[in-house]
Amino acid sequence: MGFLTIGSFLFCTGLVALVTWRMTRAHGAGASAEGYFLAGRALTGGYIAGSLMLTNLSTEQLVGLNGAAYANGICVMAWEVIAAMSLVAMALYFLPRYLRSGIATIPQFLEERFDGGTRMITTVVFVLAYAAILLPMILYTGATGLVDVLDLQSMTGVGRGTLITGSVWFIGIVGSVYAIFGGLRSVAISDTLNGFGLLVGGVMIAWLGLDLVGGEEGGALAGFAKLREAHPEKFNSLGTAEQDVPFSTLFTGVLLLNLFYWTTNQQIIQRTFGASSLAEGQKGVLYAGVLKVLAPLILVLPGVIAFHLYADRGIANDQAYGTLVNDVLPTPLVGFFAAVLVGAILSSFNSALNSTATLISLGIVKQLARQADDQRLIRSGKALGALIAVVAMIVAPLLQGQKSIFQYLQTMNALYFIPIFSVVLVGLTFRRVPAVAAKLALLTGLLAIGLGYFVFGVGQPDFPMHTFHFLGVVFAGLVLLMLILGMVFPRSEPWVQRASGLVDMTPWRGAKPLGFGLIVVVLLIYLAFADTSVL
């Protein structure tokens, strides 16, 4: 790595940190609990869209999803384009109800709808899942991407395992500084700044990769045509039963995991709770939906390009993207993209860590010490956030050796995604379901999925049902359980949501037209690349 590469990496990384610090400092993000955890409820549509996208668009996507495309083709784009439909549901149905209550966390909403016990269970589940699953995954995929993009093994001669462990701790420490000392506003600002660089860099890599496939005379467009001609099986939007995302799973587990992720996942939707108004929140969510429709260009297509170029080398799925970046980017731009990649890693990590601190402070500390003032809540959030970060940094290197890191992430996330989403959806839709039904559904869902994974072999070749269909069955069972309990032991009075008055609830006029347009675009994308002969 030359001086120019090192210089561009340090310059870009330092510039984002400086701008974020100045903008956060100017707004006094840490002066109150609302300022620290919700950016003072002052986020506009642009910040929300940028933060939503970059929190999601990180190395578990760049490395993991491109690795899945390397093995399966474009059918894995379901995780991206179906997300646009989930964001429409968030903007039009879920967000108005969340903002009406003026909540800071999903468990807080569940306390309002059910009771304090439901809130405590959900908070503990979120915190444990983030510490043991989400945060380690972000750190591991981030370290993997950084090692491969900068080709640190060749440069240093150090073993891959050692480099990944060192990178995990570097990313974890820097990310903790952003999240623990800056609060949500620093997360949103750094997300937006890095998001622009990541989109530019991602598109550049896809274009240069196509150009390499097309050759000197053909160019990028000829490269795309050559890819489709050489690997038609990789360009089918409908996955087969042998692939990671069979078409039928789009209507069961894939849909449910997408809906939870974009409508209920605290790590993602916390920035929407900081919206200055419902209209700005809806703008941010739907702008992010537009970007998700375009995301396969940088999250799926490079994986197919890498398959064309490297299939005969026998490289691992999750090394495909880093190898492609190394081959197609001009040397002076490697440092720029490495800085952007680090920014993406930090974005997801510090967003998840900030959400964890929020859950602990507002969901546990405030419940146990109800007289705690804002400064005590912030201090407790910082201290416990630092502890969670250390746990994640210890766990992350243990993930080495997974066959498909992205598929592993989705499967493990389902442990808590499915139970929590079922409770939120039933709570919003059926007003007489009692608190005992919610608590029982949470515990039953965790137990059922855990037993399915670790005792009965869900996901193993000899199990008679696809993992995502199993999750759909569990979800349906939990909803049915709550509805039956709601009929047998109904609330004495139907739940009535009370308006907090904290947020301007005037909706955005463009929300419904843009939402409808996004759904049409998703359907057209699937039709354009569909080969029904595989079904």
Side-chain angles (χ1 to χ4, degrees):
M1 190 192 307
F3 173 79
L4 187 59
T5 302
I6 297 174
S8 61
F9 169 75
L10 294 176
F11 174 77
C12 293
T13 303
L15 182 62
V16 170
L18 177 62
V19 172
T20 300
W21 174 74
R22 288 184 63 86
M23 294 182 71
T24 304
R25 182 169 173 263
H27 283 78
S32 67
E34 187 172 270
Y36 183 79
F37 296 117
L38 291 179
R41 297 191 190 273
L43 296 180
T44 55
Y47 278 131
I48 292 169
S51 189
L52 282 172
M53 276 303 296
L54 199 64
T55 299
N56 169 250
L57 190 63
S58 189
T59 45
E60 70 267 25
Q61 304 285 325
L62 283 169
V63 174
L65 195 53
N66 274 304
Y70 179 84
N72 296 270
I74 70 167
C75 65
V76 299
M77 74 178 183
W79 297 112
E80 297 303 305
V81 294
I82 298 296
M85 301 177 74
S86 299
L87 284 163
V88 172
M90 175 63 176
L92 301 183
Y93 183 76
F94 289 89
L95 185 61
R97 288 159 176 79
Y98 292 153
L99 293 184
R100 179 179 174 82
S101 291
I103 59 172
T105 68
I106 288 296
Q108 184 183 349
F109 172 77
L110 291 178
E111 179 180 36
E112 178 186 310
R113 171 59 183 86
F114 294 110
D115 64 4
T118 307
R119 175 177 184 165
M120 184 62 71
I121 293 171
T122 312
T123 299
V124 171
V125 169
F126 264 127
V127 171
L128 292 177
Y130 284 176
I133 300 172
L134 180 62
L135 287 166
M137 183 66 67
I138 292 169
L139 290 175
Y140 171 70
T141 55
T144 300
L146 195 61
V147 167
D148 289 336
V149 167
L150 295 179
D151 197 15
L152 293 179
Q153 274 187 277
S154 298
M155 186 180 68
T156 63
V158 177
R160 182 176 179 81
T162 303
L163 288 172
I164 287 177
T165 301
S167 298
V168 159
W169 282 87
F170 167 73
I171 295 164
I173 291 170
V174 175
S176 300
V177 171
Y178 269 108
I180 295 171
F181 297 104
L184 182 60
R185 185 171 181 83
S186 73
V187 171
I189 292 170
S190 62
D191 283 355
T192 304
L193 296 173
N194 282 311
F196 177 76
L198 187 65
L199 289 173
V200 171
V203 170
M204 185 184 303
I205 288 161
W207 182 267
L208 292 173
L210 288 174
D211 193 60
L212 182 61
V213 172
E216 294 183 4
E217 298 180 0
L221 295 180
F224 185 76
K226 187 175 179 180
L227 274 182
R228 293 202 67 173
E229 181 180 352
H231 311 287
E233 76 285 356
K234 295 288 187 183
F235 283 89
N236 189 0
S237 59
L238 311 181
T240 67
E242 293 73 33
Q243 293 179 308
D244 286 352
V245 189
F247 178 66
S248 59
T249 64
L250 301 189
F251 307 99
T252 57
V254 172
L255 177 62
L256 292 171
L257 294 175
N258 249 302
L259 281 169
F260 172 89
Y261 189 88
W262 293 105
T263 68
T264 313
N265 188 6
Q266 182 70 31
Q267 174 219 3
I268 293 294
I269 66 173
Q270 184 170 328
R271 60 267 309 118
T272 67
F273 296 161
S276 60
S277 66
L278 173 60
E280 289 299 319
Q282 289 178 320
K283 288 178 186 178
V285 169
L286 291 171
Y287 292 163
V290 173
L291 295 173
K292 291 305 288 181
V293 170
L294 302 175
L297 293 174
I298 60 177
L299 295 177
V300 175
L301 183 58
V304 180
I305 296 170
F307 177 82
H308 179 80
L309 296 173
Y310 314 126
D312 57 348
R313 292 194 196 178
I315 66 172
N317 296 349
D318 296 320
Q319 289 180 275
Y321 189 71
T323 305
L324 180 66
V325 171
N326 248 306
D327 284 355
V328 302
L329 269 188
T331 301
L333 293 180
V334 173
F336 159 76
F337 191 73
V340 167
L341 188 66
V342 168
I345 300 161
L346 295 177
S347 167
S348 287
F349 181 75
N350 59 31
S351 294
L353 194 57
N354 179 263
S355 294
T356 305
T358 304
L359 288 163
I360 293 173
S361 294
L362 301 185
I364 297 177
V365 175
K366 191 170 184 178
Q367 297 305 302
L368 297 177
R370 294 186 177 274
Q371 302 304 314
D373 59 16
D374 282 5
Q375 292 306 311
R376 182 177 174 185
L377 290 176
I378 293 172
R379 286 195 303 272
S380 67
K382 290 179 178 181
L384 293 170
L387 178 62
I388 294 293
V390 171
V391 171
M393 286 183 268
I394 293 171
V395 173
L398 304 179
L399 297 175
Q400 296 181 69
Q402 293 294 327
K403 182 180 177 182
S404 173
I405 203 70
F406 189 78
Q407 193 75 359
Y408 173 81
L409 172 64
Q410 298 300 335
T411 302
M412 295 306 295
N413 276 342
L415 275 167
Y416 65 105
F417 277 20
I418 296 299
I420 293 176
F421 181 64
S422 69
V423 170
V424 171
L425 186 61
V426 168
L428 284 171
T429 310
F430 300 95
R431 298 180 180 275
R432 284 194 177 271
V433 173
V436 65
K439 291 194 279 280
L440 188 59
L442 287 170
L443 298 175
T444 301
L446 290 167
L447 181 63
I449 298 174
L451 288 174
Y453 284 174
F454 305 117
V455 176
F456 297 110
V458 172
Q460 300 302 314
D462 57 345
F463 194 79
M465 182 185 297
H466 193 282
T467 302
F468 293 145
H469 291 324
F470 166 74
L471 297 176
V473 170
V474 172
F475 174 80
L478 295 177
V479 171
L480 183 61
L481 172 65
M482 285 184 279
L483 294 183
I484 291 173
L485 289 173
M487 289 187 289
V488 178
F489 307 107
R491 289 172 56 113
S492 57
E493 296 291 336
W495 172 66
V496 177
Q497 186 176 21
R498 304 186 186 282
S500 67
L502 295 174
V503 181
D504 176 5
M505 293 302 296
T506 305
W508 179 39
R509 290 183 179 181
K512 289 183 179 179
L514 182 53
F516 176 76
L518 281 172
I519 292 173
V520 171
V521 169
V522 169
L523 295 177
L524 290 176
I525 289 173
Y526 264 91
L527 289 172
F529 290 97
D531 176 6
T532 57
S533 66
V534 303
L535 300 179

